[in-house]
Each structure stands twice: as structure tokens, then as C-alpha cells.
Amino acid sequence: MSLLLVADIGGTNGRFGLVEFDAENMRTNGQINYTAERQITLKCAEHADMATMIKACCAQFGIDVPAYGCLAIAGPIENGQASMTNLNWKFSIEGLRDQLGMKTLHVINDFASLAYAVPFLRENELVTLYESNKSSPDAPIVVMGPGTGFGMAALVPNRDNWKIIPTEGGHASFAPTNEKELAIKSFLLKEQNHVSVENILSGGGLVTLYRALAHIAGVDAKPYTPADVSAKGLNDEDALCREAVLTFCDVLGEVAGDKALSVGARGGVVIGGGVTPKLVGLLPESHFLERYKNKGPMAGYVSDISIRLIVNDKAALVGSAAWLIHNTPELKTR
């Protein structure tokens, strides 16, 4: 039995977990546990750097730093160097591994980790938003998610494993499909030269939609936060907030269909991120599904593709564990 350290580290919090990996059980029964039964969350601001936070995490767990680990981080990884987008933390992956005395350390992008989790999530960690019995298990899956930004990746079957294809799909242009959305884009183009999907489908995008709708209605926008717009819209406490969250759902459906077509995601569409689970109760009231299928001659194509929603907010830990196990040969042969 080996303890594997997995983590999902953003600009504010570092979520850590310990996974108990039984190589013998995996070889004998093909059964692997990807779930971190022990989990803790630390504040990044309370630690000087990544190594310090990992040591503090292990101290709280009451263990030495495990030999094997995988960190999912909110930031780019290039040529063995990792940078945290919203923290002044930069480190060499090899240097961090040696500093911590680990045998193997993987560092991957946080959305790549979320995407990689999808094939390994338990049934109760996903909710079906739209069911089709024609989805293919041998075809690509597109994973997308509105959160602080808008992440997108493709999962492609690769023999007995999955290959992640990271993308910058969130920065594709926002494409309005009705007069209201044209007016929203026109409003935003007065403030910026390019309006992206992420400008609409993100936490900040909720506020953007609210401000644009207030402008269109000829009223002053209030200084709402994303949480304000979401809560007031869900509780029907503010008509413009309500319209903003419904418009958000409409655009999400449109974009989900676009991405399914672009990737050829006959294996399914999976939505993650921190925003959508909070709004899922409004999807039936919105035009989410209608807009998803609104693809002209390709309406039948997307109608054959199921949509699922990740409801496990620690899914990235599952993805980190799966990535570590499937990409560390010695774990499977020990």
C-alpha cells in the first residue's frame, strides 16, 4: 500500500488529499481507488512558497512527504517550470521534487486535472443534464467549465488510457445569436476590442452580463459581485440579476453545442467549474437545451451527444490521482 499526495492549488486555496494506492489489488482485480479519503485545505497566503505549503500539509496529515505526488495548479507549466497565475510562486518541478525528497512529482494544469478526472468519477459525482443513448465510449469527450475563467479540454481515448488535449477555448469569440446578445456584445465592444466566451461564461461574466443588461434597460448598475448576481438571480430578488443568470444559461448551452461540434465530442459533453452547479436549478427555465441543439443542419449531431455536470467540487483531486497512477510506470509494477 502506497500513500499518494494529490493537490488542487489555486490562487487562494490549496486542497490536498491522500490516496491509498494498492498496486497488488490493481494487478489482481484491476480495481483502483482514485479518491482521497483524507483531505485538507490550506490558505496559500499563509505560506511562503510551494515547498513550505506541502510540508505544512504533510505535517497536518501527520506523515512524511510521500514518495509520489501530483499537483494540479492554476497556471502554466513549460519546460519543467511552473508558475502560479495569481501567486508570485514559480518553481522547477525537478527542483521541488528533490527539495521534498520525493521519487516522482507530476505538476499539471488544474483544468487538465479536472478533465482527466471525468472517466474515473463515481456515478454520484456526475449529474446528467441531457441524456442520449447514442454517445460513443470510443469517441472524444469535451470538458468545459465556467469558474474564475472558462476552461476547456478534450479527452481522447488512447488505447487503455486517455490523452488530454488542453485548449484555450475560453478565449474564442463570443458569438451572439439574438438581438439581446448582439446588444450585450455591442456594449462590451465599447470597453474592449475582443469579447470572448470567458468574458460571458465566468464568475466575472455574471457581473458583465448584469452591467450590460442594466445599460440596455437604461438603469444604473449596482456594485454587485458575482455571488450577488448569482444569489439575487436564483432567489428572484432582482429582475436584472435573474435575466443575467438566465442569459448565462442560454449562452452556456450555445457554447456547449459549439464545442461539441468543434471537437467531434461524440463521447459526451461534461461541464465542470464552480459556477454551473450553483445555477443548475435554473437550466430548465432557461433555453439551455434549445440553444445546445440550435446548430442548423448539425442539430441531429449534437442531439446524439449527452451532457453531464460534475458535482464533486474536489474532482481535480481525482484527476490528479488518476494522472499520477496512469503516468508513473513504477507504481503499477511495484
Side-chain angles (χ1 to χ4, degrees), residues 133-149:
N133 58 11
K134 296 183 180 179
S135 292
S136 170
D138 301 318
I141 297 170
V142 65
V143 186
M144 47 181 274
T148 304

Side-chain angles (χ1 to χ4, degrees), residues 255-305:
V255 170
D258 288 345
K259 302 307 185 187
L261 288 175
S262 299
V263 173
R266 301 303 291 265
V269 171
V270 178
I271 300 175
V275 176
T276 312
K278 300 172 185 176
L279 303 181
V280 68
L282 273 184
L283 292 182
E285 186 179 333
S286 74
H287 301 288
F288 171 83
L289 193 54
E290 176 187 331
R291 294 285 292 274
Y292 174 68
K293 297 180 179 180
N294 180 33
K295 301 302 167 195
M298 290 291 102
Y301 185 100
V302 292
S303 295
D304 288 345
I305 299 174

Side-chain angles (χ1 to χ4, degrees), residues 22-303:
D22 187 338
E24 183 61 35
N25 189 48
M26 186 278 297
R27 286 194 297 269
T28 304
N29 303 312
Q31 296 179 349
I32 303 176
N33 174 32
Y34 300 104
T35 301
E37 302 298 343
R38 297 174 63 189
Q39 300 182 12
I40 60 171
T41 298
L42 302 180
K43 295 289 185 184
C44 297
E46 296 176 358
H47 304 278
D49 52 34
M50 187 66 75
T52 303
M53 186 162 65
I54 291 173
K55 289 176 182 177
C57 151
C58 292
Q60 286 202 28
F61 279 134
I63 61 168
D64 294 330
V65 177
Y68 300 93
C70 181
L71 312 178
I73 68 165
I77 300 125
E78 295 182 2
N79 301 318
Q81 303 293 315
S83 302
M84 300 291 295
T85 300
N86 293 311
L87 288 170
N88 189 27
W89 289 3
K90 297 181 180 180
F91 58 91
S92 157
I93 298 172
E94 183 176 326
L96 180 63
R97 181 200 65 196
D98 293 346
Q99 183 180 356
L100 295 171
M102 303 176 78
K103 289 183 179 179
T104 299
L105 176 65
H106 294 273
V107 180
I108 61 177
N109 176 265
D110 58 346
F111 201 84
S113 178
L114 180 67
Y116 201 77
V118 170
F120 309 103
L121 291 175
R122 297 168 178 170
E123 192 171 322
N124 63 356
E125 295 172 316
L126 294 158
V127 169
T128 298
L129 301 179
Y130 170 68
E131 183 69 78
S132 167
N133 58 11
K134 296 183 180 179
S135 292
S136 170
D138 301 318
I141 297 170
V142 65
V143 186
M144 47 181 274
T148 304
F150 183 93
M152 177 187 160
L155 275 176
V156 181
N158 182 25
R159 298 179 182 173
D160 61 345
N161 201 350
W162 293 84
K163 180 176 178 60
I164 302 174
I165 302 177
T167 82
E168 293 296 339
H171 296 285
S173 297
F174 166 52
T177 60
N178 57 40
E179 293 296 329
K180 178 175 72 175
E181 290 170 11
L182 284 168
I184 291 169
K185 186 163 187 176
S186 178
F187 169 77
L188 292 176
L189 283 172
K190 294 174 183 176
E191 301 181 343
Q192 57 199 71
N193 293 326
H194 176 247
V195 181
S196 69
V197 168
E198 182 171 283
N199 292 148
I200 306 297
L201 296 181
S202 61
L206 281 170
V207 175
T208 296
L209 285 170
Y210 166 74
R211 289 195 306 108
L213 291 168
H215 173 80
I216 294 166
V219 300
D220 292 334
K222 296 177 181 177
Y224 287 152
T225 66
D228 292 333
V229 176
S230 176
K232 291 179 183 296
L234 285 168
N235 297 325
D236 208 3
E237 296 174 3
D238 182 299
L240 284 176
C241 289
R242 184 77 169 185
E243 187 176 359
V245 295
L246 287 171
T247 302
F248 183 100
C249 293
D250 292 350
V251 175
L252 181 62
E254 186 79 37
V255 170
D258 288 345
K259 302 307 185 187
L261 288 175
S262 299
V263 173
R266 301 303 291 265
V269 171
V270 178
I271 300 175
V275 176
T276 312
K278 300 172 185 176
L279 303 181
V280 68
L282 273 184
L283 292 182
E285 186 179 333
S286 74
H287 301 288
F288 171 83
L289 193 54
E290 176 187 331
R291 294 285 292 274
Y292 174 68
K293 297 180 179 180
N294 180 33
K295 301 302 167 195
M298 290 291 102
Y301 185 100
V302 292
S303 295

